């Protein structure tokens, strides 16, 4: 049998070095035609290629479609093997060398169902920008139907139209936040969902129709049930969601009531230790606080009390003297006028 290397490297224009001699088709018949050596060589080449395809799980090795003697053409959906990996063409008339660029080729590794499914799952997290090239309905290409995120832009649209998806059962996100028009996402024969301009919506294809996935929209969602969220750290003042745990922690560090007496001479104790006290002392010379400040009284405000029904002006001075944690004495020039007092301490 002829050497495969000689056959693969055979120059079909050089009949003098042909490794395989000419022979006749229909040998022995009057209409027999000569089969030239390069044709014979090409038959061997095809036989070796077929054997190689069978060895590679039924996928042909990649051939450069731009080569002078190229006999292959890679269109959208075509499969080929290159450097040990299997690739799917994402475009028609693909002349690029296979790489996992997501533009011309999509690598699926070896022919293994589990691996392919895993690659498809990863692919579904990628996004495809959909730009209509006419003011009419837009049908997704086979590769665009693989993506899990569809970013819509106006393109040539001057009004709202349909986005036609295939009937594969799947969920996907349609992002129309950059669009100006309503896009109705549907299958060719089924019903669909209108995605308004500026909206992002999770949709589900059930194999016949496109329906709402039941997931909350990304913009202004309305939650039901018992939704949860990460709890921000204490003191966080950003725009993060404040969970009930965060609120409880914040309230726990806020000022709360630690005891009070809302009487004429009363007090309010706060959780941080601050105490506010007040009273109407009449015309007495000294005041004893309703409760003693554990540490000190830090401030006292006092004022004359007008007990008349008209406008009465009181002359003289009024002061708080001998201030302690339990009370104070008045300093005054007018002893017959009642007084209010207000004290703060801790």
């Amino acid at each position: 049998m002829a050497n495969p290397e000689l056959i693969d490297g055979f120059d079909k224009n050089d009949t003098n070095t042909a490794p395989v001699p000419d022979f006749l088709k229909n040998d022995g018949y009057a209409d027999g035609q000569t089969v030239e050596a390069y044709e014979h060589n090409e038959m061997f080449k095809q036989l070796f290629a077929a054997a190689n395809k069978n060895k590679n799980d039924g996928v042909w090795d990649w051939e450069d479609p731009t080569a002078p003697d190229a006999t292959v053409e890679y269109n959208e959906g075509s499969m080929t093997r290159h450097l040990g990996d299997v690739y799917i063409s994402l475009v028609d008339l693909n002349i690029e060398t296979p790489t996992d660029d997501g533009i011309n080729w999509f690598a699926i590794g070896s022919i293994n169902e589990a691996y392919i499914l895993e690659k498809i799952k990863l692919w579904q997290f990628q996004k495809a920008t959909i730009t209509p090239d006419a003011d009419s309905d837009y049908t997704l290409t086979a590769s665009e139907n693989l993506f899990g995120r569809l970013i819509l832009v106006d393109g040539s649209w001057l009004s709202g139209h349909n986005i036609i998806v295939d009937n594969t059962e799947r969920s996907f996100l349609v992002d129309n936040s950059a669009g100006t028009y309503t896009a109705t996402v549907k299958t060719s024969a089924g019903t669909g969902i209108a995605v308004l301009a500026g909206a992002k919506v999770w949709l589900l294809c059930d194999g016949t129709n496109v329906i709402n996935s039941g997931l909350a929209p990304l913009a202004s969602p309305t939650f039901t049930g018992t939704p949860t969220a990460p709890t921000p750290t204490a003191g966080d003042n950003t725009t993060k969601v404040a969970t009930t745990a965060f609120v409880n922690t914040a309230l726990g560090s806020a000022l709360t009531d630690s005891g009070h007496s809302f009487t004429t001479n009363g007090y309010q104790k706060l959780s941080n230790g601050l105490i506010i006290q007040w009273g109407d002392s009449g015309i007495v010379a000294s005041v004893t606080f309703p409760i003693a400040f554990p540490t000190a009284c830090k401030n006292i405000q006092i004022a004359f009390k007008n007990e008349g029904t008209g406008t009465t002006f009181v002359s003289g001075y009024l002061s708080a003297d001998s201030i302690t944690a339990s009370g104070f004495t008045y300093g005054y020039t007018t002893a017959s006028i009642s007084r209010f007092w207000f004290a703060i301490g801790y």
Side-chain angles (χ1 to χ4, degrees):
M1 182 174 182
N3 189 324
E5 294 182 359
L6 292 177
I7 292 175
D8 289 341
F10 174 60
D11 183 354
K12 65 182 181 181
N13 296 316
D14 185 0
T15 57
N16 295 322
T17 59
V20 180
D22 293 345
F23 67 99
L24 293 179
K25 293 179 182 176
N26 300 324
D27 191 14
Y29 294 87
D31 60 349
Q33 299 177 4
T34 300
V35 179
E36 297 183 8
Y38 77 87
E39 292 179 313
H40 196 181
N41 186 61
E42 183 62 26
M43 288 189 291
F44 273 100
K45 182 178 179 180
Q46 295 296 327
L47 287 173
F48 281 116
N52 194 46
K53 175 184 176 183
N54 185 64
K55 179 183 69 176
N56 290 336
D57 302 316
V59 180
W60 292 95
D61 282 336
W62 179 75
E63 295 183 41
D64 186 354
T66 64
D69 59 346
T71 59
V72 295
E73 182 178 276
Y74 298 105
N75 292 313
E76 184 176 358
S78 299
M79 296 179 66
T80 189
R81 182 185 298 275
H82 182 59
L83 299 179
D85 284 328
V86 176
Y87 295 85
I88 297 177
S89 177
L90 301 179
V91 296
D92 287 332
L93 301 177
N94 193 346
I95 62 173
E96 301 298 325
T97 302
T99 59
D100 195 13
D101 58 9
I103 299 174
N104 297 292
W105 294 98
F106 171 49
I108 60 174
S110 60
I111 300 298
N112 177 286
E113 182 178 1
Y115 185 85
I116 293 174
L117 291 176
E118 185 63 27
K119 291 291 286 187
I120 291 175
K121 290 178 183 178
L122 292 174
W123 187 267
Q124 289 175 339
F125 285 102
Q126 304 299 315
K127 63 182 179 181
T129 300
I130 307 303
T131 307
D133 55 5
D135 187 25
S136 59
D137 292 353
Y138 182 87
T139 300
L140 298 188
T141 64
S143 58
E144 289 170 342
N145 275 293
L146 294 175
F147 288 93
R149 297 169 58 197
L150 303 178
I151 312 299
L152 307 186
V153 295
D154 290 342
S156 298
W157 276 10
L158 300 176
S159 60
H161 293 288
N162 296 322
I163 298 290
I164 309 299
V165 302
D166 66 22
N167 58 359
T168 303
E169 294 185 10
R170 68 189 188 283
S171 62
F172 53 97
L173 173 67
V174 177
D175 182 351
N176 198 20
S177 57
T180 306
Y181 309 106
T182 296
T184 300
V185 183
K186 61 186 292 294
T187 58
S188 59
T191 59
I193 296 293
V195 180
L196 302 180
K200 297 180 181 179
V201 182
W202 275 103
L203 300 178
L204 174 69
C205 179
D206 62 5
T208 303
N209 304 307
V210 173
I211 60 177
N212 195 303
S213 68
L215 300 176
L218 298 182
S220 302
T222 300
F223 296 116
T224 59
T226 309
T228 60
T231 298
T233 56
D236 192 327
N237 65 347
T238 65
T239 57
K240 296 177 183 177
V241 174
T243 63
T244 53
F246 175 82
V247 173
N248 284 334
T249 299
L251 291 177
S253 62
L255 298 180
T256 56
D257 185 0
S258 296
H260 63 269
S261 174
F262 295 155
T263 57
T264 300
N265 295 283
Y267 64 89
Q268 173 66 66
K269 298 172 68 175
L270 299 177
S271 58
N272 66 350
L274 186 69
I275 301 175
I276 302 170
Q277 303 196 61
W278 61 87
D280 180 351
S281 61
I283 58 175
V284 298
S286 62
V287 171
T288 300
F289 297 137
I291 59 174
F293 291 104
T295 302
C297 175
K298 303 301 293 183
N299 185 278
I300 292 179
Q301 302 293 320
I302 54 179
F304 286 116
K305 176 183 178 182
N306 183 1
E307 296 179 332
T309 57
T311 301
T312 303
F313 296 95
V314 178
S315 62
Y317 76 88
L318 184 64
S319 63
D321 300 330
S322 304
I323 301 172
T324 68
S326 59
F328 67 96
T329 60
Y330 283 113
Y332 50 84
T333 57
T334 303
S336 60
I337 304 297
S338 296
R339 306 121 193 173
F340 289 121
W341 62 269
F342 185 87
I344 297 176
Y346 63 96

